[in-house]
Amino acid sequence: MAFQCQRDCFMKEFVTTVVSCCPAELKQEVNGKKETVKGFNVKLQDTILFPEGGGQPDDHGLIGDVPVIKVTRHGADAVHFVSSSLEVGQEVQLKLDWDRRFDHMQQHSGQHLISALAETMFGFNTTSWELGRQRSNIELDTASVTPTQLQALEEAVNEKIRAHVPVTLQLLALDDPALEKAKSRGLPDDLAGPVRIIDIEGIDANMCCGTHVSNLSQLQAIKLLSTEKGKKNKTNMIFLVGNRVLKYAEKCYSTERSLVSLLKTGPDEHVEAVAKTQKCVKLLQKSNLGLLRDLALLIAQNFKSSPQRGNLFTLHKKEGDNEFMNIIANEIGPETLVFLSVGEEKGPGLFLLAGPSDVVSEMGPRVLEMLEGKGAGKNGRFQGKANSLARLGEVEAVLQQRCKLLASGEE
């Protein structure tokens, strides 16, 4: 069946009936981690909430006052995952998250237009596409797209938008001969029918389950941002449609204003100003590295020349790197136990434990644990990254105790 969202893509509210409601679980990504959420799968007599499919994400909205977390298609049914149970037979009102839906309509119809003209103008066939949260991409069956071709395609699609071209929907039976004239990248095996044809007048007729605008003018504008090398000798074309173009322009302008304030130059001089700044930074970094190396040598030599030096040397410095620590350890030599760290005292950083191989092998893992870090060691060196340097004092105390045992001959 065709859902109400597929028959009328502009309907924002709809009254329907709950057909079934069953306990269910949904795997979701929360803060980068997959979590299992318990809830209910709800089937309705009909729906204006689009279930994900055809490269288009699902809609968001409400069933009554219950938020719909996910909508998926199972055969001829749309399954709505919600957190609260609903009574079977209950009449409910659906409310659509229109901003999200219209954004998806703009991106999806824009993809149809771009794909159609890319094929007509250059013979580039679309093999897949993805509607992303911020930008979308079309995979084209070509090894490359030249800048000239990209510009020509962008001009052509925007000309069609300005031409106010109608976009119509047809619902055809699976055995309708008219289907042979429509393009398709394949239909789902469990499709019960009818088949939807999205017809951009005089430009493209394509089988599609997604939601679309009714006229190309509703796309507002299309920006083809760039192309990237894809898989298997294909090219990915990155694009924005409609409101996303406006948001992108607003973001670019805001960034431009910030750069004007920071660089004290006009927009046309930003690239040159940043290039000069980078050159100065590189020279300063080179000079700073030289000073750090000299400082490392002086620190090591100062320790070696001290008549009160013991068998343990520890040092923490906010500025520094692995090379800085290794210079000190190399200069002091393997007879002394050396513990060095660089970074914020309460935050993450780097550390190095060097000295007698047996002591380093014994104490390295313990130091690693105390600093909540990751690292490894061999040949009298144990170094790594610390998630927290907050326990540096405890580490030094443990190493001092170990060196006292070493000095007294106790193991």
Side-chain angles (χ1 to χ4, degrees):
M1 66 172 285
F3 303 116
Q4 183 63 27
C5 59
Q6 296 172 312
R7 296 191 297 271
D8 183 354
C9 300
F10 287 83
M11 185 172 284
K12 301 173 186 177
E13 295 188 11
F14 182 64
V15 176
T16 186
T17 304
V18 177
V19 174
S20 67
C21 180
C22 304
E25 293 182 345
L26 177 68
K27 289 185 177 179
Q28 272 192 320
E29 190 170 299
V30 181
N31 297 326
K33 295 181 180 179
K34 287 189 176 181
E35 295 182 1
T36 300
V37 180
K38 292 187 176 182
F40 299 85
N41 279 339
V42 175
K43 293 181 182 179
L44 304 171
Q45 197 172 60
D46 204 344
T47 186
I48 56 168
L49 302 183
F50 176 74
E52 61 183 357
Q56 179 176 325
D58 60 330
D59 283 335
H60 289 172
L62 298 171
I63 302 179
D65 57 357
V66 178
V68 177
I69 300 170
K70 188 77 175 175
V71 189
T72 53
R73 187 181 69 83
H74 293 181
D77 297 314
V79 178
H80 308 71
F81 184 85
V82 296
S83 59
S84 304
S85 64
L86 296 168
E87 183 181 344
V88 175
Q90 176 186 1
E91 191 175 81
V92 292
Q93 184 174 35
L94 302 186
K95 291 184 179 180
L96 173 69
D97 180 342
W98 173 247
D99 289 343
R100 175 181 170 90
R101 157 67 73 77
F102 188 61
D103 171 57
H104 290 174
M105 289 165 61
Q106 286 187 320
Q107 309 316 308
H108 203 158
S109 297
Q111 176 266 313
H112 278 226
L113 177 60
I114 297 166
S115 292
L117 293 188
E119 182 178 357
T120 302
M121 295 171 66
F122 306 112
F124 299 156
N125 293 316
T126 294
T127 50
S128 68
W129 86 291
E130 179 187 14
L131 199 166
R133 291 183 179 180
Q134 294 184 328
R135 55 191 64 181
S136 303
N137 78 82
I138 297 171
E139 183 184 69
L140 298 172
D141 192 12
T142 179
S144 64
V145 176
T146 67
T148 301
Q149 290 172 328
L150 191 68
Q151 182 178 353
L153 181 58
E154 181 175 285
E155 290 174 357
V157 295
N158 282 291
E159 187 173 329
K160 295 299 182 184
I161 292 172
R162 292 190 294 272
H164 206 263
V165 178
V167 180
T168 56
L169 162 67
Q170 298 179 61
L171 294 174
L172 303 178
L174 286 169
D175 58 354
D176 194 315
L179 288 178
E180 297 179 8
K181 299 178 182 179
K183 298 174 187 175
S184 173
R185 291 197 297 274
L187 295 172
D189 295 333
D190 60 352
L191 180 68
V195 179
R196 296 171 78 243
I197 306 295
I198 303 302
D199 192 328
I200 304 176
E201 189 177 283
I203 298 173
D204 183 57
N206 214 311
M207 299 182 199
C208 182
C209 66
T211 56
H212 291 270
V213 299
S214 60
N215 193 289
L216 290 187
S217 62
Q218 293 160 357
L219 300 183
Q220 298 169 279
I222 289 178
K223 179 60 186 174
L224 304 182
L225 292 174
S226 63
T227 59
E228 299 173 353
K229 187 176 181 181
K231 299 177 181 178
K232 298 180 180 179
N233 215 30
K234 295 179 181 180
T235 298
N236 294 326
M237 181 179 290
I238 317 301
F239 70 95
L240 303 171
V241 184
N243 289 332
R244 293 193 182 191
V245 177
L246 298 178
K247 289 178 181 178
Y248 183 76
E250 183 180 353
K251 184 178 179 181
C252 289
Y253 183 69
S254 176
T255 300
E256 181 182 284
R257 298 301 301 165
S258 297
L259 288 173
V260 167
S261 176
L262 289 169
L263 299 173
K264 309 301 181 186
T265 62
D268 293 341
E269 300 168 330
H270 284 170
V271 173
E272 183 182 353
V274 170
K276 287 180 179 178
T277 301
Q278 286 181 324
K279 188 176 180 180
C280 290
V281 168
K282 286 180 180 178
L283 289 172
L284 289 171
Q285 286 176 333
K286 187 176 180 180
S287 175
N288 188 47
L289 283 173
L291 291 171
L292 276 175
R293 293 188 188 102
D294 293 342
L295 178 61
L297 288 172
L298 287 172
I299 289 170
Q301 291 167 0
N302 185 56
F303 171 76
K304 288 171 68 176
S305 62
S306 173
Q308 287 84 31
R309 70 172 186 171
N311 56 358
L312 173 66
F313 176 78
T314 65
L315 175 71
H316 172 76
K317 191 168 180 59
K318 184 178 178 180
E319 302 84 7
D321 55 13
N322 280 318
E323 184 180 3
F324 172 76
M325 294 188 294
N326 276 296
I327 289 173
I328 294 175
N330 289 338
E331 188 68 19
I332 290 177
E335 297 82 13
T336 302
L337 185 62
V338 176
F339 175 66
L340 307 166
S341 58
V342 294
E344 296 289 343
E345 288 191 15
K346 302 293 183 180
L350 305 173
F351 73 91
L352 168 66
L353 183 67
S357 295
D358 55 341
V359 179
V360 170
S361 298
E362 173 194 343
M363 301 303 296
R366 190 171 175 185
V367 170
L368 188 68
E369 181 181 355
M370 295 176 75
L371 298 181
E372 303 172 13
K374 292 183 179 180
K378 63 178 181 179
N379 302 327
R381 295 284 172 101
F382 197 106
Q383 62 189 105
K385 293 181 179 180
N387 286 326
S388 173
L389 297 173
R391 298 178 65 186
L392 283 178
E394 295 177 49
V395 172
E396 290 182 15
V398 168
L399 294 176
Q400 285 173 353
Q401 186 63 31
R402 183 63 184 85
C403 286
K404 286 180 182 178
L405 294 174
L406 189 65
S408 65
E410 300 179 30
E411 294 291 336

